[in-house]
Amino acid sequence: MAPRSRQRRHKKPPSSVTPMVVTPPTVVTSVPLTLSKPDPSIDALGFFSLENNVPGLSQLILQKLNMKSYEEYKLVLDGGASVSGFGFRCLREMFQKMEDTFQFCAHCRALPSGLSDSKVLRQCKRCRNVYYCGPECQKSDWPEHRKVCQELRLVAVDRLMEWLLVTGAFVLPSGPWPCVAEVVQGWDTWFSMRHLQLEATLDAVLGSHAMNTLWANVGQPRPDPDVLRGSLKRLLTDALSRPLTLGLGLRALGIDIGKTGGSTVHVVGASHVETFLTRPGDYDELGYMFPGHLGLRVIMVGIDVSANFIQSTSTSPLEPGTVQLSGHRGLYHDFWEEQVETGQIAHPDLVVAFHPGFHASPDLMEAWLPTLLLLRDYEIPTLITVYSHQELAASLQILVDLDTHVTAYGANPFASLKPEQVYSNPNKQPVYCSAYYIMFLGSSCQLDRTQLEEKVDGGV
């Protein structure tokens, strides 16, 4: 809980903030039955928003994944049931059913079940991503679709290639950085640093049995090697964006990673996106970013953290050079009172929230408010990421109204390079995970509302 002397300093979230929901495009989000429950999540809003644009789409998704209810699907994402619970008999069936979840007319929003016997959904031949129920809809939609067609082709390839990451067939290059860490300021210098190792890795994956198996089962022609190589690189940036963004925050906010016993980072608002199928070594790159560190403890906290990721976190000093991952299911301000204030968990040196989405709805803002005030009043260095410039502007406005001291914001040099399609609105401009960041520390924001509007409108 926040210090009493300052609990009443916050202002109510501005009613002028336009709700906006960004739906994760390739993973159906876990969802409670209603949004009136006390712990709404961005995952829940994402799933329900499918119905706003394409009525019946959520039920189609559940049907194709052999699920009877939201609860059943959520159980799999939460780690309470095996992924084999989807019940696919073979790889070909799995890829076809997954593709079926994207089948609705991008123009009139008709689902396969709503078509007459004379009509059938057909893919755009250019992007192999969106579908149309006939030439009339496709022609009418072209003025909008042409703006994103080429980018959506990348999305279509990436969502198939992602299977290589999930199955472990694509192992990311790893190991100590062969250069001074400070030289690596973004993806260009990271790719240059890892060049020889990365090229060898990509060559091995391109020629692997897993790659041949993938394209033998997806029912589509295998793209050229350069297309596949580009996809693997985008997937790599998506996997490493989170640990390297944590490193960006540690660097920019001047966190001492050489303190005895190790440093602690709390990832708040974590969900299955950050924890489902996450492996212990997935954040090793964060450690290589800080050679000589005395241990980095990363604790994921959120109401949708996967059960198989939840581990008890020891307060014992870490071994130098190690990165420890653990998770806790619950709201952060409750976690703070029960675990941090009682000394069971280390006080955070940095708090990070990936796509908190508190700008998206009053329900989410209400759920996030205690945590935002806690972070402000305890003056904890904080970094949040957002998908777009529009979200950046809305989130900055809320933080200003809450009297937080915004120290920096801008384009994230370690943003994912993998385009994300809005599931139920495929012609909306794709977004990129952690495209922008905001950092704040304590209260008394130095920029007033007018200054912020001028800076954001002028670009960052």
Side-chain angles (χ1 to χ4, degrees):
M1 72 195 284
R4 298 190 179 205
S5 61
R6 304 183 61 184
Q7 269 185 330
R8 300 182 181 274
R9 292 188 55 194
H10 70 272
K11 303 172 186 174
K12 293 215 176 212
S15 57
S16 59
V17 175
T18 303
M20 178 177 68
V21 177
V22 178
T23 307
T26 55
V27 179
V28 180
T29 51
S30 56
V31 49
L33 288 177
T34 70
L35 293 183
S36 60
K37 289 188 175 184
D39 304 335
S41 71
I42 192 69
D43 292 343
L45 286 176
F47 196 96
F48 278 110
S49 74
L50 299 177
E51 294 296 315
N52 296 335
N53 288 325
V54 186
L57 181 57
S58 63
Q59 289 302 317
L60 173 69
I61 292 170
L62 292 170
Q63 174 193 343
K64 295 299 181 180
L65 299 181
N66 299 320
M67 294 290 170
K68 297 177 181 178
S69 66
Y70 296 127
E71 297 94 329
E72 191 176 352
Y73 187 85
K74 177 175 169 53
L75 191 63
V76 173
L77 288 184
D78 284 348
S82 170
V83 178
S84 62
F86 290 128
F88 300 125
R89 292 168 294 183
C90 62
L91 280 177
R92 186 176 294 272
E93 180 188 11
M94 180 194 75
F95 285 119
Q96 182 58 58
K97 290 289 186 71
M98 295 296 285
E99 185 59 33
D100 287 348
T101 66
F102 289 87
Q103 290 193 12
F104 60 89
C105 180
H107 185 67
C108 72
R109 301 296 196 258
L111 293 169
S113 59
L115 299 178
S116 64
D117 293 339
S118 62
K119 286 191 173 184
V120 62
L121 289 170
R122 299 188 185 279
Q123 276 184 334
C124 168
K125 293 181 179 179
R126 294 179 181 86
C127 67
R128 292 186 176 273
N129 193 321
V130 302
Y131 290 80
Y132 295 100
C133 64
E136 298 84 3
C137 275
Q138 185 167 10
K139 183 177 180 180
S140 298
D141 201 52
W142 178 241
E144 288 301 311
H145 181 60
R146 69 186 299 175
K147 302 173 186 176
V148 295
C149 185
Q150 185 174 357
E151 208 167 359
L152 290 181
R153 175 57 182 156
L154 303 182
V155 175
V157 174
D158 289 352
R159 72 171 172 245
L160 295 173
M161 294 282 283
E162 204 159 17
W163 178 77
L164 299 170
L165 264 181
V166 172
T167 58
F170 178 24
V171 179
L172 304 181
S174 187
W177 288 5
C179 68
V180 178
E182 287 70 24
V183 171
V184 181
Q185 296 292 324
W187 288 123
D188 287 343
T189 47
W190 188 94
F191 279 121
S192 177
M193 171 196 69
R194 291 284 195 197
H195 177 69
L196 294 178
Q197 184 186 17
L198 178 60
E199 291 304 309
T201 298
L202 298 183
D203 288 341
V205 176
L206 289 173
S208 68
H209 174 70
M211 181 70 78
N212 294 333
T213 299
L214 168 64
W215 290 102
N217 284 279
V218 297
Q220 296 183 22
R222 178 169 173 161
D224 293 337
D226 286 347
V227 174
L228 298 179
R229 186 178 292 267
S231 178
L232 289 172
K233 286 185 174 181
R234 290 191 297 275
L235 291 173
L236 180 152
T237 66
D238 193 59
L240 293 181
S241 175
R242 289 186 179 89
L244 292 180
T245 298
L246 294 187
L248 173 72
L250 290 170
R251 271 183 181 175
L253 289 163
I255 309 301
D256 178 15
I257 49 83
K259 72 175 189 178
T260 304
S263 303
T264 299
V265 178
H266 291 173
V267 177
V268 300
S271 69
H272 74 274
V273 175
E274 290 83 17
T275 57
F276 186 57
L277 301 179
T278 297
R279 302 174 178 91
D282 286 355
Y283 277 64
D284 286 353
E285 202 70 8
L286 173 62
Y288 300 135
M289 195 175 187
F290 298 96
H293 71 85
L294 299 183
L296 293 167
R297 184 182 288 108
V298 180
I299 306 174
M300 310 279 188
V301 184
I303 61 175
D304 290 317
V305 169
S306 294
N308 56 8
F309 190 82
I310 298 174
Q311 307 168 25
S312 60
T313 303
S314 172
T315 56
S316 302
L318 295 175
E319 289 291 326
T322 61
V323 178
Q324 180 192 81
L325 297 182
S326 63
H328 177 91
R329 184 177 291 175
L331 294 172
Y332 187 67
H333 52 276
D334 292 335
F335 169 77
W336 181 276
E337 291 183 2
E338 297 164 6
Q339 303 285 330
V340 179
E341 285 192 337
T342 59
Q344 298 180 52
I345 297 294
H347 191 281
D349 298 288
L350 172 70
V351 167
V352 175
F354 294 112
H355 311 114
F358 51 72
H359 68 285
S361 78
D363 282 335
L364 278 172
M365 187 61 227
E366 182 179 355
W368 271 96
L369 187 58
T371 292
L372 292 173
L373 296 180
L374 184 154
L375 297 174
R376 180 200 71 181
D377 291 347
Y378 278 97
E379 299 185 342
I380 300 170
T382 302
L383 179 149
I384 71 172
T385 68
V386 296
Y387 284 105
S388 66
H389 191 268
Q390 182 181 356
E391 286 192 30
L392 174 69
S395 300
L396 278 169
Q397 186 60 71
I398 289 173
L399 293 174
V400 167
D401 286 346
L402 293 180
D403 193 30
T404 59
H405 178 193
V406 176
T407 60
Y409 61 91
N412 182 5
F414 293 111
S416 170
L417 302 182
K418 172 176 166 280
E420 299 285 0
Q421 174 181 340
V422 180
Y423 212 134
S424 59
N425 192 3
N427 284 331
K428 190 170 183 177
Q429 186 68 40
V431 295
Y432 296 82
C433 290
S434 298
Y436 295 91
Y437 66 85
I438 303 172
M439 301 182 194
F440 66 86
L441 176 62
S443 63
S444 302
C445 183
Q446 294 176 342
L447 296 177
D448 63 26
R449 181 174 302 185
T450 303
Q451 289 175 309
L452 258 181
E453 289 175 353
E454 290 174 352
K455 292 195 71 171
V456 175
D457 289 343
V460 292

mmCIF file of all heavy atoms in Angstrom, residues 224-250:
data_model
loop_
_atom_site.group_PDB
_atom_site.id
_atom_site.type_symbol
_atom_site.label_atom_id
_atom_site.label_comp_id
_atom_site.label_asym_id
_atom_site.label_seq_id
_atom_site.Cartn_x
_atom_site.Cartn_y
_atom_site.Cartn_z
ATOM 1 N N ASP A 224 10.887 -18.785 -50.473
ATOM 2 C CA ASP A 224 12.315 -18.762 -50.779
ATOM 3 C C ASP A 224 13.137 -18.689 -49.494
ATOM 4 O O ASP A 224 12.671 -18.165 -48.475
ATOM 5 C CB ASP A 224 12.651 -17.564 -51.659
ATOM 6 C CG ASP A 224 12.037 -17.676 -53.052
ATOM 7 O OD1 ASP A 224 11.744 -18.819 -53.475
ATOM 8 O OD2 ASP A 224 11.821 -16.623 -53.692
ATOM 9 N N PRO A 225 14.383 -19.169 -49.531
ATOM 10 C CA PRO A 225 15.239 -19.138 -48.337
ATOM 11 C C PRO A 225 15.394 -17.750 -47.725
ATOM 12 O O PRO A 225 15.431 -17.620 -46.499
ATOM 13 C CB PRO A 225 16.573 -19.674 -48.854
ATOM 14 C CG PRO A 225 16.203 -20.561 -49.996
ATOM 15 C CD PRO A 225 15.025 -19.900 -50.646
ATOM 16 N N ASP A 226 15.475 -16.716 -48.559
ATOM 17 C CA ASP A 226 15.632 -15.359 -48.015
ATOM 18 C C ASP A 226 14.396 -14.932 -47.214
ATOM 19 O O ASP A 226 14.511 -14.226 -46.204
ATOM 20 C CB ASP A 226 15.879 -14.357 -49.145
ATOM 21 C CG ASP A 226 17.288 -14.465 -49.712
ATOM 22 O OD1 ASP A 226 18.129 -15.136 -49.080
ATOM 23 O OD2 ASP A 226 17.523 -13.891 -50.791
ATOM 24 N N VAL A 227 13.231 -15.365 -47.651
ATOM 25 C CA VAL A 227 11.993 -15.056 -46.928
ATOM 26 C C VAL A 227 11.991 -15.766 -45.576
ATOM 27 O O VAL A 227 11.647 -15.177 -44.540
ATOM 28 C CB VAL A 227 10.764 -15.469 -47.758
ATOM 29 C CG1 VAL A 227 9.484 -15.290 -46.943
ATOM 30 C CG2 VAL A 227 10.691 -14.651 -49.045
ATOM 31 N N LEU A 228 12.403 -17.033 -45.578
ATOM 32 C CA LEU A 228 12.444 -17.800 -44.331
ATOM 33 C C LEU A 228 13.503 -17.253 -43.383
ATOM 34 O O LEU A 228 13.293 -17.190 -42.170
ATOM 35 C CB LEU A 228 12.719 -19.273 -44.636
ATOM 36 C CG LEU A 228 11.667 -19.983 -45.495
ATOM 37 C CD1 LEU A 228 12.074 -21.427 -45.747
ATOM 38 C CD2 LEU A 228 10.301 -19.919 -44.841
ATOM 39 N N ARG A 229 14.622 -16.846 -43.931
ATOM 40 C CA ARG A 229 15.691 -16.278 -43.105
ATOM 41 C C ARG A 229 15.213 -14.981 -42.447
ATOM 42 O O ARG A 229 15.459 -14.742 -41.259
ATOM 43 C CB ARG A 229 16.931 -16.019 -43.965
ATOM 44 C CG ARG A 229 18.167 -15.565 -43.198
ATOM 45 C CD ARG A 229 19.343 -15.398 -44.167
ATOM 46 N NE ARG A 229 19.762 -16.679 -44.686
ATOM 47 C CZ ARG A 229 20.724 -17.434 -44.142
ATOM 48 N NH1 ARG A 229 21.363 -17.006 -43.066
ATOM 49 N NH2 ARG A 229 21.056 -18.585 -44.679
ATOM 50 N N GLY A 230 14.524 -14.162 -43.215
ATOM 51 C CA GLY A 230 13.988 -12.921 -42.656
ATOM 52 C C GLY A 230 12.988 -13.191 -41.544
ATOM 53 O O GLY A 230 12.960 -12.489 -40.530
ATOM 54 N N SER A 231 12.167 -14.221 -41.719
ATOM 55 C CA SER A 231 11.190 -14.572 -40.697
ATOM 56 C C SER A 231 11.876 -15.026 -39.416
ATOM 57 O O SER A 231 11.487 -14.631 -38.314
ATOM 58 C CB SER A 231 10.261 -15.677 -41.216
ATOM 59 O OG SER A 231 9.342 -16.072 -40.221
ATOM 60 N N LEU A 232 12.894 -15.861 -39.534
ATOM 61 C CA LEU A 232 13.625 -16.315 -38.350
ATOM 62 C C LEU A 232 14.241 -15.147 -37.591
ATOM 63 O O LEU A 232 14.239 -15.125 -36.354
ATOM 64 C CB LEU A 232 14.714 -17.310 -38.760
ATOM 65 C CG LEU A 232 14.235 -18.688 -39.236
ATOM 66 C CD1 LEU A 232 15.400 -19.493 -39.795
ATOM 67 C CD2 LEU A 232 13.559 -19.455 -38.102
ATOM 68 N N LYS A 233 14.743 -14.166 -38.309
ATOM 69 C CA LYS A 233 15.318 -12.994 -37.646
ATOM 70 C C LYS A 233 14.250 -12.197 -36.904
ATOM 71 O O LYS A 233 14.475 -11.717 -35.791
ATOM 72 C CB LYS A 233 16.032 -12.101 -38.669
ATOM 73 C CG LYS A 233 17.368 -12.648 -39.154
ATOM 74 C CD LYS A 233 18.061 -11.636 -40.060
ATOM 75 C CE LYS A 233 19.458 -12.101 -40.430
ATOM 76 N NZ LYS A 233 20.164 -11.115 -41.286
ATOM 77 N N ARG A 234 13.084 -12.068 -37.522
ATOM 78 C CA ARG A 234 12.001 -11.334 -36.843
ATOM 79 C C ARG A 234 11.558 -12.082 -35.589
ATOM 80 O O ARG A 234 11.306 -11.471 -34.538
ATOM 81 C CB ARG A 234 10.823 -11.144 -37.798
ATOM 82 C CG ARG A 234 11.085 -10.175 -38.931
ATOM 83 C CD ARG A 234 9.813 -9.812 -39.681
ATOM 84 N NE ARG A 234 9.185 -10.956 -40.339
ATOM 85 C CZ ARG A 234 9.511 -11.411 -41.543
ATOM 86 N NH1 ARG A 234 10.500 -10.835 -42.229
ATOM 87 N NH2 ARG A 234 8.866 -12.434 -42.084
ATOM 88 N N LEU A 235 11.446 -13.401 -35.686
ATOM 89 C CA LEU A 235 11.061 -14.194 -34.520
ATOM 90 C C LEU A 235 12.099 -14.078 -33.415
ATOM 91 O O LEU A 235 11.763 -14.041 -32.226
ATOM 92 C CB LEU A 235 10.885 -15.661 -34.916
ATOM 93 C CG LEU A 235 9.686 -15.967 -35.821
ATOM 94 C CD1 LEU A 235 9.737 -17.422 -36.270
ATOM 95 C CD2 LEU A 235 8.375 -15.680 -35.124
ATOM 96 N N LEU A 236 13.351 -14.021 -33.800
ATOM 97 C CA LEU A 236 14.428 -13.862 -32.821
ATOM 98 C C LEU A 236 14.276 -12.543 -32.065
ATOM 99 O O LEU A 236 14.385 -12.507 -30.832
ATOM 100 C CB LEU A 236 15.774 -13.938 -33.538
ATOM 101 C CG LEU A 236 17.053 -13.791 -32.724
ATOM 102 C CD1 LEU A 236 18.192 -14.552 -33.391
ATOM 103 C CD2 LEU A 236 17.465 -12.333 -32.554
ATOM 104 N N THR A 237 14.000 -11.465 -32.797
ATOM 105 C CA THR A 237 13.856 -10.165 -32.118
ATOM 106 C C THR A 237 12.644 -10.172 -31.202
ATOM 107 O O THR A 237 12.654 -9.536 -30.147
ATOM 108 C CB THR A 237 13.725 -9.004 -33.118
ATOM 109 O OG1 THR A 237 12.488 -9.124 -33.864
ATOM 110 C CG2 THR A 237 14.896 -8.978 -34.095
ATOM 111 N N ASP A 238 11.596 -10.904 -31.596
ATOM 112 C CA ASP A 238 10.406 -10.968 -30.757
ATOM 113 C C ASP A 238 10.707 -11.693 -29.448
ATOM 114 O O ASP A 238 10.244 -11.298 -28.382
ATOM 115 C CB ASP A 238 9.280 -11.681 -31.512
ATOM 116 C CG ASP A 238 7.930 -11.509 -30.844
ATOM 117 O OD1 ASP A 238 7.494 -10.354 -30.685
ATOM 118 O OD2 ASP A 238 7.314 -12.526 -30.478
ATOM 119 N N ALA A 239 11.503 -12.760 -29.533
ATOM 120 C CA ALA A 239 11.844 -13.534 -28.335
ATOM 121 C C ALA A 239 12.788 -12.778 -27.412
ATOM 122 O O ALA A 239 12.701 -12.884 -26.185
ATOM 123 C CB ALA A 239 12.466 -14.869 -28.742
ATOM 124 N N LEU A 240 13.701 -12.004 -27.996
ATOM 125 C CA LEU A 240 14.712 -11.320 -27.187
ATOM 126 C C LEU A 240 14.330 -9.885 -26.820
ATOM 127 O O LEU A 240 15.032 -9.246 -26.036
ATOM 128 C CB LEU A 240 16.051 -11.307 -27.932
ATOM 129 C CG LEU A 240 16.726 -12.667 -28.138
ATOM 130 C CD1 LEU A 240 18.051 -12.496 -28.862
ATOM 131 C CD2 LEU A 240 16.941 -13.379 -26.805
ATOM 132 N N SER A 241 13.239 -9.385 -27.385
ATOM 133 C CA SER A 241 12.856 -8.001 -27.114
ATOM 134 C C SER A 241 12.629 -7.757 -25.627
ATOM 135 O O SER A 241 13.082 -6.734 -25.085
ATOM 136 C CB SER A 241 11.590 -7.646 -27.900
ATOM 137 O OG SER A 241 11.132 -6.347 -27.569
ATOM 138 N N ARG A 242 11.968 -8.669 -24.942
ATOM 139 C CA ARG A 242 11.662 -8.440 -23.522
ATOM 140 C C ARG A 242 12.927 -8.408 -22.662
ATOM 141 O O ARG A 242 13.119 -7.469 -21.895
ATOM 142 C CB ARG A 242 10.662 -9.474 -23.024
ATOM 143 C CG ARG A 242 9.262 -9.269 -23.590
ATOM 144 C CD ARG A 242 8.243 -10.224 -22.981
ATOM 145 N NE ARG A 242 6.924 -9.990 -23.534
ATOM 146 C CZ ARG A 242 6.452 -10.573 -24.635
ATOM 147 N NH1 ARG A 242 7.219 -11.451 -25.272
ATOM 148 N NH2 ARG A 242 5.248 -10.297 -25.095
ATOM 149 N N PRO A 243 13.798 -9.427 -22.715
ATOM 150 C CA PRO A 243 14.999 -9.337 -21.869
ATOM 151 C C PRO A 243 15.879 -8.140 -22.198
ATOM 152 O O PRO A 243 16.434 -7.506 -21.291
ATOM 153 C CB PRO A 243 15.736 -10.663 -22.134
ATOM 154 C CG PRO A 243 15.107 -11.258 -23.338
ATOM 155 C CD PRO A 243 13.714 -10.742 -23.379
ATOM 156 N N LEU A 244 16.004 -7.806 -23.481
ATOM 157 C CA LEU A 244 16.854 -6.672 -23.827
ATOM 158 C C LEU A 244 16.194 -5.340 -23.460
ATOM 159 O O LEU A 244 16.888 -4.364 -23.158
ATOM 160 C CB LEU A 244 17.206 -6.711 -25.319
ATOM 161 C CG LEU A 244 18.116 -7.878 -25.728
ATOM 162 C CD1 LEU A 244 18.408 -7.844 -27.228
ATOM 163 C CD2 LEU A 244 19.428 -7.861 -24.945
ATOM 164 N N THR A 245 14.866 -5.290 -23.458
ATOM 165 C CA THR A 245 14.179 -4.076 -22.996
ATOM 166 C C THR A 245 14.358 -3.907 -21.498
ATOM 167 O O THR A 245 14.497 -2.779 -20.999
ATOM 168 C CB THR A 245 12.692 -4.126 -23.370
ATOM 169 O OG1 THR A 245 12.566 -4.168 -24.808
ATOM 170 C CG2 THR A 245 11.949 -2.908 -22.843
ATOM 171 N N LEU A 246 14.360 -5.022 -20.749
ATOM 172 C CA LEU A 246 14.703 -4.932 -19.326
ATOM 173 C C LEU A 246 16.096 -4.328 -19.172
ATOM 174 O O LEU A 246 16.328 -3.475 -18.306
ATOM 175 C CB LEU A 246 14.675 -6.314 -18.674
ATOM 176 C CG LEU A 246 13.345 -7.050 -18.553
ATOM 177 C CD1 LEU A 246 13.523 -8.311 -17.716
ATOM 178 C CD2 LEU A 246 12.272 -6.181 -17.943
ATOM 179 N N GLY A 247 17.023 -4.777 -19.998
ATOM 180 C CA GLY A 247 18.383 -4.242 -19.948
ATOM 181 C C GLY A 247 18.422 -2.767 -20.277
ATOM 182 O O GLY A 247 19.185 -2.000 -19.668
ATOM 183 N N LEU A 248 17.606 -2.351 -21.250
ATOM 184 C CA LEU A 248 17.513 -0.927 -21.592
ATOM 185 C C LEU A 248 17.100 -0.123 -20.368
ATOM 186 O O LEU A 248 17.658 0.939 -20.080
ATOM 187 C CB LEU A 248 16.503 -0.737 -22.728
ATOM 188 C CG LEU A 248 16.160 0.706 -23.091
ATOM 189 C CD1 LEU A 248 17.329 1.375 -23.794
ATOM 190 C CD2 LEU A 248 14.912 0.753 -23.981
ATOM 191 N N GLY A 249 16.105 -0.632 -19.625
ATOM 192 C CA GLY A 249 15.657 0.070 -18.431
ATOM 193 C C GLY A 249 16.726 0.133 -17.358
ATOM 194 O O GLY A 249 16.924 1.178 -16.723
ATOM 195 N N LEU A 250 17.432 -0.980 -17.142
ATOM 196 C CA LEU A 250 18.507 -0.990 -16.151
ATOM 197 C C LEU A 250 19.588 0.014 -16.515
ATOM 198 O O LEU A 250 20.112 0.728 -15.648
ATOM 199 C CB LEU A 250 19.105 -2.399 -16.059
ATOM 200 C CG LEU A 250 18.209 -3.476 -15.427
ATOM 201 C CD1 LEU A 250 18.819 -4.854 -15.625
ATOM 202 C CD2 LEU A 250 17.994 -3.201 -13.936
#
